[in-house]
Amino acid sequence: MDDKRSLSEAEIRTRYITPALLEAGWEYNDIHEEKTITDGRIIDEGQGEWKRGERKRVDYLLSYNSTYIAIVEAKDNNHEVGYGMQQAMDYATILNVPFAFSSNGDSFIKKDMTTGEETEIGLNDFPSPEELWKEFVKAEELSEEEINVIKEPLYPSKYEPRYYQQIAIEKTLRAVAKHQDRVLLVMATGTGKTFTAFQIIYRLWKSKTKKRILFLADRNILIDQTMINDFAPLKNIMTKISGEYDPAFQIYLGLYQQLKGHDGKLNLYEKFPKDFFDLVVIDECHRGSASEESSWREILDYFSSATQIGMTATPKNQESINTFRYFGEPVYTYSLKQGIEDGFLAPYKVIRVGLDSDINGVDVPVGTVNTIGEVVDAGTYAGADINRLVVLPKRDKLVAQIVSNYLKKTDRRMEKAIFFCVDEDHAERMRRALINQNLDLYEKDDRYVMRITGSDILGKMQLDNFINPRKKYPTLVTTSKLLSTGVDVKTCKLIVIDATINSMVEFKQMIGRGTRISEEFDKTTFTIIDFSGATKLFNDPEFDGETTIIEVDPPKPKGGDGGEKPTGSGGDEPPIDIPGQVVTKGHQKRPKIILPNKDVEELYRQERLLDEHGNLITESFKQFVKNKVTDEYETYAMFKKRWDEASKKEEILKQMEEKFIYINILEEEVGDEYDPFDLLVHVAYGKAPLTRSQRARKVRKSNYFDKYGETAKEILTIILDKYVDEGIDELENPNVLNIPELQSFGTIYEIMQYFDGTQNYQNAMMEMKDILYREEAA
């Protein structure tokens, strides 16, 4: 027993738990030891630097028949056998696993997550895969049909599904096997809905549960990307519906718009027998197909005998209510907030810019005419009227100037950016304005700035290059609606919103253009620059967490409630993209009022970050820091005590960082000459900050150096100077003795001899820190 208590947790696993699992009949392929299930939230450290937070990792994840079936958490033998049970239960809940086990190498505690029952079993009595499977089948009351579908293996793709994709796949398969006719999956943009759809379709087809399957989308590019990428393994049995009824295939991909007839022609979908498909999967199903008023709803009604699976990134809200009425409550939801927390999606910061034309409005005098010579209503135009009804060339120039200056200041000019504009005319004006602000780069390659919209043939020809992370151009792209959904631009690091957005659905789709991560191409975070107040939608409780934002409401627009379209961005861009089809409806230019001499000024600029809960920080950053620090340490004395007790100040700074308190941002707001301690206590408790030079002076004025020889004094002085130049990090850096300034003193071992050994050197460093942070006598 004494010997077992001396073993580490890893040794307990190796000597006792793994052998017990193998003895019970578990195969190595089904035992996933130290299985990482999240990537760890990305923490933006500023200056282009970032790191990942802690990753969630289970000691053992056991699988059987393509299903995650059990969690085993191990602890060393100094803990009780059930000590790891709470952790095992937490992971079992996250992973939707039916059994949780805890062990310290003596025995196991088994938890049935379905019944809640806990029992202790011997180390050599761990249940076999077949025994656990039988328990699972019985508890869940699985039918033979469900078992048949669940047991069908995943397609062996290059990447195994992430944990949430696995759950989404399993829950959907079980719903279909239970003969649920309408199934809904909600997964945030960038979380792999199409890959998930492929695995669902593959397993239903391979298990012969479904024989003919239709995959529906509303953009041609979505169909093409799907066929080339995620659905490629099905190429021999798959076709894209192009005009005629062809019963020779098993997987069909089609556009709503092509299946729906035009100009009195027969609907293409009616060429198929009503019962031809037994499964229909609808991508981006929130985009109108479930609404009773939608003409696309006819397609779903026609194939009503088929099981229909809807996939969307949009949680339940007033706009998406028709989707939920049609499909029912989702079988699984994976949110944007959870994706950021898990490290699968990129966190973002928001820069809000308020312009006087938008907030205070512009006066249009009596007798003013628009672009087609009509006399317009005199009065004040503001908010959504700007760019939709009123064109201000100087505003276009200012917006381009603000964004271009930001890119230049942050050295991000070659990073891909999307500018969402009101309509195609606005997108064209912004293209010209951006060119004028970036002539040096535009002269190198005229694709540096491009407009990519529904009717822009040249622009759309460059869309593949914009999507391709290995292509530098196009770089800055203006658009209105074409890029708001379904276009996967992994390296997009900047989203500029210059259109009034009243639609949560459309807003989340726009934000989703920046949420994808590509570490290979150094894309881990992104920025939103908001000129229209669209990010007020972060307030909405439906946007993954309620926030409070208090800002000046702009005057009610002269032109109405923000646009003719219910989505709020207005626009005349054709929403569809069908080869060979000419679209004219809605593409006529809207007459506008042009005020070329109207000056426009910036009224305010606010920067917002995310907190540790994934919510947008809505107060000033300094107020946010004050609230967080004083929540943890109510008084200055409490914080000072904790700071003094920490042998390494890095421990406290790491704790602050986990709460998204960034020292680099405080340095920008208060000053970079201050110690992190001073920055924190100044902001949190109103203490007058000392510079690092002032703190170092305290050490020099003390008798600190008196006890050391001349060489040791010289070494300590160099280290203290290093603190003044670079901060406490250098003082606590174990490699500080390797800095060039100390090389002339010899090796680390030789330097230690000037202090009569390592321990005396370490004591000297501790005393230096004590004096640095010692309170001045009153």
Side-chain angles (χ1 to χ4, degrees):
M1 182 63 71
D2 290 338
D3 181 58
K4 187 182 283 189
R5 287 186 179 276
S6 69
L7 300 178
S8 67
E9 179 186 304
E11 290 171 320
I12 290 290
R13 291 202 308 267
T14 301
R15 294 193 191 185
Y16 296 96
I17 299 177
T18 300
L21 297 176
L22 294 171
E23 185 68 25
W26 293 87
E27 301 286 343
Y28 275 111
N29 288 343
D30 294 329
I31 300 173
H32 310 281
E33 189 173 358
E34 291 198 291
K35 172 75 171 177
T36 299
I37 60 173
T38 69
D39 280 357
R41 182 188 176 108
I42 287 175
I43 299 171
D44 186 354
E45 296 188 296
Q47 312 299 316
E49 299 295 321
W50 61 275
K51 67 179 183 181
R52 286 196 177 270
E54 188 175 352
R55 301 181 179 195
K56 287 188 173 71
R57 181 181 288 111
V58 299
D59 289 336
Y60 295 90
L61 177 59
L62 306 182
S63 62
Y64 186 65
N65 286 335
S66 301
T67 300
Y68 293 150
I69 196 168
I71 296 286
V72 182
E73 278 300 311
K75 297 299 173 186
D76 65 47
N77 200 250
N78 295 293
H79 294 91
E80 295 296 325
V81 62
Y83 190 81
M85 180 52 71
Q86 187 57 57
Q87 191 175 3
M89 289 167 56
D90 290 344
Y91 284 134
T93 300
I94 292 170
L95 297 175
N96 195 42
V97 169
F99 300 103
F101 294 83
S102 174
S103 179
N104 64 355
D106 289 339
S107 59
F108 291 95
I109 299 293
K110 173 190 172 188
K111 174 87 172 183
D112 186 324
M113 298 295 290
T114 304
T115 65
E117 181 182 0
E118 285 192 17
T119 54
E120 184 168 1
I121 56 177
L123 188 65
N124 298 321
D125 297 323
F126 195 88
S128 69
E130 292 78 14
E131 288 170 338
L132 270 190
W133 178 257
K134 286 178 183 177
E135 285 188 53
F136 169 60
V137 169
K138 182 179 178 181
E140 295 290 325
E141 299 180 345
L142 298 182
S143 66
E144 285 300 319
E145 189 171 354
E146 288 178 84
I147 294 170
N148 182 51
V149 175
I150 292 171
K151 288 174 71 173
E152 183 62 46
L154 292 158
Y155 181 83
S157 61
K158 183 179 179 182
Y159 304 103
E160 66 175 88
R162 293 169 174 168
Y163 83 88
Y164 62 86
Q165 294 170 334
Q166 178 81 18
I167 296 171
I169 293 164
E170 296 289 339
K171 284 183 174 287
T172 303
L173 292 178
R174 291 181 62 183
V176 172
K178 286 180 181 291
H179 304 288
Q180 185 173 322
D181 294 332
R182 304 292 178 262
V183 181
L184 181 63
L185 271 179
V186 178
M187 296 172 65
T189 299
T191 57
K193 287 193 297 297
T194 311
F195 172 77
T196 303
F198 162 72
Q199 289 288 1
I200 291 168
I201 289 170
Y202 173 80
R203 289 174 72 177
L204 289 172
W205 170 76
K206 191 73 173 175
S207 65
K208 297 182 171 54
T209 305
K210 301 295 179 184
K211 297 179 176 61
R212 285 202 180 97
I213 298 162
L214 172 63
F215 181 85
L216 276 175
D218 70 337
R219 295 284 176 93
N220 201 50
I221 189 171
L222 294 180
I223 296 291
D224 292 340
Q225 284 181 346
T226 297
M227 294 184 73
I228 294 170
N229 299 320
D230 290 317
F231 281 34
L234 301 171
K235 61 183 179 182
N236 292 331
I237 59 167
M238 173 176 64
T239 187
K240 179 180 177 181
I241 299 173
S242 58
E244 292 301 323
Y245 164 58
D246 185 350
F249 296 89
Q250 291 162 292
I251 312 293
Y252 294 75
L253 290 84
L255 287 170
Y256 291 114
Q257 299 93 328
Q258 278 186 312
L259 293 176
K260 186 82 175 69
H262 297 278
D263 301 323
K265 295 179 181 177
L266 177 68
N267 290 319
L268 179 55
Y269 68 82
E270 291 179 310
K271 294 182 179 181
F272 291 81
K274 285 188 174 184
D275 60 355
F276 185 80
F277 298 110
D278 48 13
L279 176 65
V280 179
V281 178
I282 306 100
D283 189 37
E284 308 290 359
C285 65
H286 62 275
R287 291 175 64 83
S289 58
S291 172
E292 292 181 12
E293 294 78 22
S294 169
S295 61
W296 295 348
R297 171 69 175 269
E298 296 175 19
I299 302 171
L300 301 189
D301 288 341
Y302 185 81
F303 297 118
S304 60
S305 64
T307 301
Q308 296 179 4
I309 301 173
M311 307 191 78
T312 180
T314 304
K316 189 175 185 178
N317 57 41
Q318 195 58 43
E319 293 173 73
S320 63
I321 194 66
N322 285 320
T323 302
F324 285 75
R325 282 175 181 159
Y326 184 81
F327 289 101
E329 292 298 318
V331 293
Y332 184 64
T333 297
Y334 189 73
S335 67
L336 173 64
K337 179 194 284 188
Q338 191 62 54
I340 293 173
E341 179 63 30
D342 288 342
F344 297 127
L345 295 178
Y348 50 86
K349 69 177 179 181
V350 176
I351 300 173
R352 289 175 173 166
V353 182
L355 304 180
D356 62 349
S357 58
D358 305 50
I359 295 171
N360 300 329
V362 294
D363 292 329
V364 175
V366 174
T368 301
V369 296
N370 61 24
T371 48
I372 60 172
E374 297 173 336
V375 176
V376 300
D377 293 337
T380 301
Y381 289 71
D385 294 333
I386 306 302
N387 292 314
R388 188 176 67 90
L389 299 177
V390 178
V391 173
L392 303 169
K394 291 187 177 182
R395 183 188 183 283
D396 296 337
K397 180 179 179 180
L398 180 59
V399 168
Q401 203 170 54
I402 289 171
V403 176
S404 299
N405 288 344
Y406 170 78
L407 293 174
K408 292 171 185 176
K409 181 181 176 182
T410 55
D411 194 25
R412 297 173 61 180
R413 298 181 73 193
M414 292 308 298
E415 294 177 357
K416 291 185 177 179
I418 301 175
F419 291 69
F420 286 106
C421 302
V422 166
D423 53 30
E424 292 203 358
D425 174 62
H426 182 204
E428 173 58 21
R429 297 197 320 270
M430 283 309 306
R431 183 191 71 84
R432 295 196 301 269
L434 286 164
I435 287 172
N436 291 335
Q437 295 296 322
N438 298 276
L439 285 171
D440 56 333
L441 294 181
Y442 183 75
E443 287 173 357
K444 290 181 180 178
D445 194 305
D446 62 8
R447 295 173 299 165
Y448 177 71
V449 184
M450 290 199 75
R451 182 183 76 159
I452 300 180
T453 57
S455 66
D456 192 325
I457 296 173
L458 289 177
K460 285 196 292 184
M461 287 173 62
Q462 289 295 324
L463 184 55
D464 285 344
N465 286 331
F466 185 56
I467 291 170
N468 190 335
R470 300 184 187 281
K471 301 288 187 181
K472 290 199 300 185
Y473 305 106
T475 311
L476 310 184
V477 166
T478 66
T479 189
S480 57
K481 285 182 178 295
L482 184 65
L483 302 183
S484 65
T485 182
V487 178
D488 185 2
V489 188
K490 286 188 175 71
T491 52
C492 178
K493 292 189 178 181
L494 177 64
I495 303 291
V496 179
I497 303 177
D498 197 17
T500 300
I501 310 296
N502 294 324
S503 162
M504 177 63 74
V505 172
E506 187 172 2
F507 178 62
K508 293 197 81 166
Q509 290 292 333
M510 287 181 175
I511 299 306
R513 298 314 100 206
T515 55
R516 288 172 173 82
I517 290 172
S518 178
E519 291 187 39
E520 179 185 358
F521 297 98
D522 196 31
K523 160 63 190 302
T524 53
T525 63
F526 71 105
T527 301
I528 304 163
I529 301 182
D530 175 20
F531 289 94
S532 66
T535 52
K536 67 181 182 295
L537 291 170
F538 283 123
N539 282 5
D540 196 308
E542 296 297 337
F543 194 91
D544 295 332
E546 187 170 2
T547 60
T548 303
I549 301 176
I550 302 173
E551 291 187 18
V552 178
D553 290 329
K556 188 179 173 92
K558 184 76 175 178
D561 61 358
E564 295 134 350
K565 295 191 177 185
T567 56
S569 68
D572 53 11
E573 181 176 328
I576 56 181
D577 177 22
I578 304 174
Q581 179 180 333
V582 178
V583 181
T584 56
K585 184 180 179 181
H587 189 47
Q588 294 81 16
K589 281 194 172 184
R590 178 189 293 115
K592 297 184 179 182
I593 305 163
I594 300 178
L595 303 176
N597 299 317
K598 172 61 182 174
D599 291 326
V600 179
E601 295 181 358
E602 180 181 341
L603 293 184
Y604 68 80
R605 190 177 306 191
Q606 303 169 330
E607 188 166 318
R608 299 287 182 258
L609 302 167
L610 296 180
D611 66 14
E612 74 271 31
H613 302 299
N615 297 326
L616 203 66
I617 298 170
T618 54
E619 66 265 54
S620 72
F621 189 70
K622 288 197 285 187
Q623 185 63 46
F624 170 77
V625 171
K626 178 178 180 178
N627 293 343
K628 288 294 180 184
V629 174
T630 54
D631 281 349
E632 187 80 15
Y633 306 100
E634 189 174 346
T635 64
Y636 167 74
M638 293 170 65
F639 181 83
K640 182 66 166 62
K641 182 174 184 292
R642 173 72 180 96
W643 186 270
D644 291 341
E645 288 174 349
S647 59
K648 287 200 168 186
K649 313 310 176 189
E650 177 189 21
E651 298 169 8
I652 299 176
L653 297 180
K654 185 176 180 181
Q655 176 193 11
M656 296 292 118
E657 194 175 71
E658 288 171 353
K659 295 181 178 296
F660 292 81
I661 295 174
Y662 301 110
I663 296 299
N664 64 298
I665 296 179
L666 285 180
E667 287 177 339
E668 291 175 8
E669 297 199 8
V670 181
D672 61 6
E673 69 271 26
Y674 298 109
D675 188 275
F677 172 82
D678 291 280
L679 292 170
L680 291 168
V681 300
H682 171 65
V683 169
Y685 308 105
K687 295 286 184 179
L690 295 180
T691 65
R692 292 192 297 274
S693 294
Q694 289 172 315
R695 289 198 173 277
R697 200 173 302 133
K698 288 169 37 176
V699 178
R700 294 189 176 99
K701 287 170 62 179
S702 71
N703 61 359
Y704 169 73
F705 291 104
D706 295 349
K707 61 176 74 68
Y708 300 105
E710 290 303 316
T711 304
K713 283 182 186 178
E714 197 174 343
I715 292 169
L716 291 171
T717 299
I718 291 172
I719 292 174
L720 186 61
D721 290 342
K722 197 70 174 173
Y723 160 77
V724 172
D725 291 340
E726 300 189 31
I728 190 66
D729 286 350
E730 285 302 313
L731 215 58
E732 297 189 333
N733 186 346
N735 294 317
V736 69
L737 295 179
N738 288 324
I739 61 175
E741 295 90 331
L742 293 177
Q743 285 182 356
S744 62
F745 295 93
T747 65
I748 291 177
Y749 174 79
E750 290 169 332
I751 290 174
M752 293 301 171
Q753 303 317 302
Y754 294 114
F755 295 88
D756 297 325
T758 302
Q759 187 60 55
N760 286 336
Y761 167 75
Q762 291 175 345
N763 291 341
M765 298 307 296
M766 289 296 295
E767 186 181 1
M768 182 186 289
K769 286 193 285 186
D770 287 344
I771 298 172
L772 279 172
Y773 297 110
R774 186 178 296 165
E775 298 277 52
E776 296 283 357

